[in-house]
Structures are given as C-alpha cells and as structure tokens.
C-alpha cells in the first residue's frame, strides 16, 4: 500500500474524510480515547470529527463519569470512556512499571522503595477525597522519610490507576488535577482479564492499516509483533511503501487513494499524528519537525488534501478572535479559501462570544500568493456576531 492509500484509510477511520453522526461517547470509544495532556484538545478533536458537536456534551460526560481523564497509552493522559479505562489502564501497566526504573528525573529517588507500600499509601491518601500531587507530596514524605515527595507522587501516578476529577477537563473551566482512584470514581473494578488482542483489533479499526511498530508507538507497549502474528489468520496483511508488513481488519474501509480529502484543522496533540512509528501517511518528515516542538508540544495541524500543510495559532483579545495560519508547504489559492472557511467555523465553536472572528495567513504561501501589506488584508475572512 502506498502512503497515500494509507493516509486515506486512516482519515476515513478517523472521520476526517467526512464528519460522523456518532455520539461523542461512541466516537471516543471508536478512537480508543483522545489525547488529553491539556483540558481543551479532546474538545477540538471531537469538533473536527463530529457533526453538530457541542462542547457541553463532553463536559457532561466527564461530570457524569462516563468519560475519565487517566494515564494510559504511552504513559500520557487520555480521555477514555470509563469502560475502556477499566481495561486499557491495566494493559498499560507494564510501560508504567518500566518508567519507575527508567525515568531520569525520579528513578534514583524510587530506587529500592517498597512499591506495594507506596501504592497502598497513595490509595489511602485519596480514599476520602481527591488530592492533587502537590497535596500528596508532603504526606508521602512523612510516610517515606528521606525520599523526594515529587518522585513519590510520580510513583503513585504509575502504580495506581487514578483519574483527574472535575473541574479538570471541563470546557471553559480549570483547576489543578485532583486525583481519585479509577475504581472508586466509576464504581466498578478494573477488568480482571483485559485482552491485548481486543485492544489491538480496536487500534486497527481506528488507525489501521498498521505495522507492529506502529501499534507499539501508539500504545507504548513492546512485543506486539507476537500478538499480531497470533491474530494473523483474522487479518489482512499488506506490504507497505516503506517496507514493514501492515495488518488490517478484513472489512475496514480502505478508500481509493484518489478520494478527495477536505481541509481539516486538527486538535493540539491530535492522536492521529502520534499513533504510528512511520508517520509518512499524513505528514512529511520536514513538516513534522515544525509541528512537533522540542518541548513536547504538538501544534494544531491543518490537513490539506490529506497531508499536514500548516499549523494554527489562536489569539484572543477582548471581543476579537484571530486564527493565524502558518503554511508549511505549498498551498493553492483554492485550498486557502477552504482553510479560511474551516477556520471561521472553528473560531465560532471555540469563541462564540467573539463579535469579530478573523482567519489570517502569516508568512508566505509557497507556489501561490505571498501575503503582505494589502494582500494580507484581503486574505482575511471575518465573521461577525
């Protein structure tokens, strides 16, 4: 399969070729969760994929405990359905255990500690009420004299499945991440026998076709080639453009590579850009280096004809909201108009209170129009109240 064919297949499964009528909860489950290091990205990820998505829909799911914010795949925070969290979090435990011994910041302070006792202490501290890590640190230091409180709290984060409780993760609200155990928060126990086979089949449904290395990049787990070999009789196998075998569900969508792909503005940290070892299906390597910053930020990317071609920055001043678009590749004038229209819709979703909404290109558009002075002013698309 060519990278273009892989890109179209992935975009189809991500509802980025056409927006979906699924519910927000069903989309979250289909996507195996949403990247959620910060509170806002899950909202923008759903906006890009769903028709008629309202921010308060996801806020209600978080408040009603149907969706939880929890450390899972790759050791980062995801917004997962409560049901998926109860099975995905135990499957992620090996990588979190590994982190306790490899984390350069905290491993020396955790060396030789009784991990069972640390986990029990963490559970006890949040038994009666949620606590932030900063609140837990001095209490943990009292129980483990001579140990660094930040390292102890990090250890609890890895050892005990804990959710970030509201108001963290609610639209338009904020707060430090206060933690409660997953089981106590959702009122159900962790899955006693979570299935890695089922997890990988779910991954292929949302991100396939994919190689074993791709699945490992998505999950943070190792030795997944053995699992895919076990599943091979149930899968289709393709040769990828860059070499490795690509596994897929037999009946999963694989559109014609020439299927039109509309402009889409992705969320910051959008998981579609983070879930493959080989990201060539959606982004060129030189462009990727401008989207992924050295301090771990993944900028909001703009997809043009199925590939990352720009990123955006939003500036809000009083009643004025501006979406600045920085091109990273050649963008034709016709695509520029589509970016402006999608950007205006995004600003209306994110800043409904703004009376002046502006989409503006910065820098230059190679192969098309260089924007400056009067030309830049003419490229601005405004959307009044």
């Amino acid at each position: 399969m060519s990278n273009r064919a892989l890109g179209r297949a992935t975009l189809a499964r991500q509802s980025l070729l056409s927006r979906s009528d699924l519910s927000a909860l069903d989309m979250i489950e289909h996507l195996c969760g949403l990247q959620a290091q910060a509170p806002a990205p899950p909202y923008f990820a759903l906006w890009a994929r769903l028709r008629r998505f309202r921010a308060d829909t996801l806020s209600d799911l978080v408040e009603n405990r149907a969706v939880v914010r929890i450390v899972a795949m790759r050791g980062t925070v995801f917004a997962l359905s409560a049901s998926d969290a109860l099975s995905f979090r135990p499957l992620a435990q090996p990588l979190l255990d590994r982190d306790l011994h490899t984390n350069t910041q905290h491993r020396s302070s955790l060396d030789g500690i009784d991990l069972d006792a640390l986990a029990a202490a963490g559970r006890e501290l949040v038994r009666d009420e949620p606590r932030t890590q900063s609140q837990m640190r001095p209490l943990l230091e009292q129980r483990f004299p001579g140990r660094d409180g930040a390292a102890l709290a990090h250890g609890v984060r890895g050892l005990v499945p804990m959710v970030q409780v509201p108001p963290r993760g609610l639209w338009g609200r904020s707060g430090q991440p206060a933690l409660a155990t997953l089981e106590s928060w959702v009122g159900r126990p962790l899955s006693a026998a979570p299935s890695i086979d089922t997890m990988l089949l779910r991954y292929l449904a949302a991100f396939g076709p994919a190689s074993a290395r791709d699945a490992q990049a998505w999950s943070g787990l190792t030795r997944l080639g053995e699992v895919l070999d076990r599943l091979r009789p149930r899968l289709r196998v393709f040769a990828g453009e860059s070499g490795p075998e690509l596994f897929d569900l037999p009946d999963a969508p694989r559109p014609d590579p020439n299927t039109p792909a509309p402009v889409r503005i992705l969320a910051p940290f959008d998981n579609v850009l983070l879930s493959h070892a080989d990201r060539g299906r959606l982004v060129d390597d030189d462009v990727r280096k401008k989207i992924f910053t050295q301090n771990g930020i993944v900028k909001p990317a703009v997809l043009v004809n199925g590939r990352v071609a720009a990123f955006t920055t939003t500036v809000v001043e009083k009643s004025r909201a501006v979406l600045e678009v920085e091109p990273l590749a050649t963008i034709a004038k016709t695509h520029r108009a589509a970016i402006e229209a999608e950007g205006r819709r995004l600003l209306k979703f994110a800043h409904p209170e703004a009376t002046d909404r502006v989409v503006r290109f910065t820098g230059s558009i190679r192969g098309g129009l260089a924007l400056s002075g009067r030309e830049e002013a003419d490229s601005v698309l405004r959307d009044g109240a």
Side-chain angles (χ1 to χ4, degrees):
M1 292 188 74
S2 67
N3 278 340
R4 185 181 177 91
L6 285 175
R8 290 301 191 270
T10 303
L11 293 176
R13 297 170 205 201
Q14 292 278 316
S15 294
L16 291 169
L17 285 183
S18 61
R19 283 181 164 94
S20 171
D21 289 317
L22 285 177
S23 71
L25 183 60
D26 286 344
M27 180 58 73
I28 291 169
E29 290 197 329
H30 169 68
L31 296 175
C32 303
L34 303 169
Q35 195 91 359
Q37 289 103 317
Y43 292 87
F44 293 110
L46 290 175
W47 173 84
R49 292 165 169 85
L50 296 177
R51 296 188 182 95
R52 298 176 294 277
F53 172 67
R54 293 171 54 90
D56 57 7
T57 301
L58 178 53
S59 286
D60 289 345
L61 291 170
V62 174
E63 285 199 292
N64 295 333
R65 310 187 187 195
V67 169
V68 297
R69 294 171 52 82
I70 188 169
V71 174
M73 289 77 72
R74 300 194 296 276
T76 194
V77 178
F78 273 76
L80 290 166
S81 73
S83 296
D84 279 348
L86 293 169
S87 59
F88 284 10
R89 179 58 176 77
L91 290 170
Q93 192 57 50
L95 74 96
L96 298 169
D97 290 341
R98 186 169 65 246
D99 173 75
L100 298 178
H101 305 289
T102 59
N103 185 284
T104 56
Q105 184 177 0
H106 299 304
R107 65 185 179 189
S108 61
S109 296
L110 294 173
D111 186 44
I113 198 169
D114 185 332
L115 295 178
D116 290 338
L118 179 58
R123 287 182 177 277
E124 183 180 344
L125 288 178
V126 298
R127 181 182 57 199
D128 297 326
E129 61 177 335
R131 295 182 190 270
T132 66
Q133 285 199 318
S134 61
Q135 291 170 332
M136 294 172 63
R137 289 168 190 164
L139 301 174
L140 289 168
E141 288 177 342
Q142 292 174 16
R143 297 174 184 232
F144 299 89
R147 301 279 185 169
D148 175 66
L152 294 170
H154 178 80
V156 170
R157 173 186 182 272
L159 292 167
V160 182
M162 290 193 176
V163 301
Q164 297 180 354
V165 306
R168 186 72 171 179
L170 301 183
W171 182 254
R173 298 173 62 183
S174 188
Q176 291 298 310
L179 304 173
T181 65
L182 171 61
E183 305 99 305
S184 67
W185 185 251
V186 303
R188 284 182 279 164
L190 295 172
S191 175
S195 169
I196 188 65
D197 293 24
T198 298
M199 187 186 199
L200 281 195
L201 293 173
R202 295 268 308 274
Y203 165 71
L204 292 177
F207 295 95
S211 68
R213 289 184 63 242
D214 290 332
Q216 290 173 174
W218 167 74
S219 64
L221 301 173
T222 59
R223 303 182 66 176
L224 296 186
E226 300 172 10
V227 181
L228 288 169
D229 277 338
R230 183 169 67 245
L231 293 171
R232 186 182 292 266
R234 301 169 56 182
L235 302 174
R236 288 196 63 181
V237 183
F238 299 90
E241 183 176 315
S242 55
E245 285 186 316
L246 301 168
F247 297 85
D248 203 9
L249 305 180
D251 298 326
R254 287 179 289 274
D256 186 294
N258 293 318
T259 300
V263 164
R264 289 289 183 261
I265 301 174
L266 301 179
F269 304 102
D270 200 297
N271 209 24
V272 74
L273 298 180
L274 295 165
S275 296
H276 302 91
D278 182 354
R279 294 161 178 163
R281 66 184 66 197
L282 294 178
V283 58
D284 295 325
D285 194 54
D286 59 333
V287 171
R288 178 187 60 80
K289 293 175 181 177
K290 298 174 183 177
I291 294 290
F292 292 64
T293 69
Q294 291 184 346
N295 59 352
I297 301 297
V298 182
K299 301 174 184 177
V302 181
L303 296 177
V304 176
N305 196 24
R307 302 196 66 76
V308 175
F311 68 86
T312 69
T313 304
T314 302
V315 179
V316 179
E317 297 177 353
K318 297 182 180 179
S319 62
R320 190 172 194 253
V322 179
L323 186 75
E324 296 184 341
V325 181
E326 176 72 27
L328 299 174
T330 300
I331 300 178
K333 294 180 182 180
T334 54
H335 288 143
R336 185 187 68 187
I339 294 171
E340 290 175 336
E342 187 76 349
R344 182 171 56 169
R345 288 189 287 268
L346 175 59
L347 289 176
K348 187 173 183 179
F349 165 76
H351 303 284
E353 76 291 345
T355 57
D356 191 21
R357 304 186 190 102
V358 178
V359 178
R360 180 170 60 218
F361 288 88
T362 63
S364 62
I365 302 179
R366 294 190 294 276
L369 175 67
L371 298 176
S372 62
R374 178 63 181 170
E375 288 177 331
E376 180 177 74
D378 289 343
S379 79
V380 171
L381 185 66
R382 286 186 168 82
D383 179 46

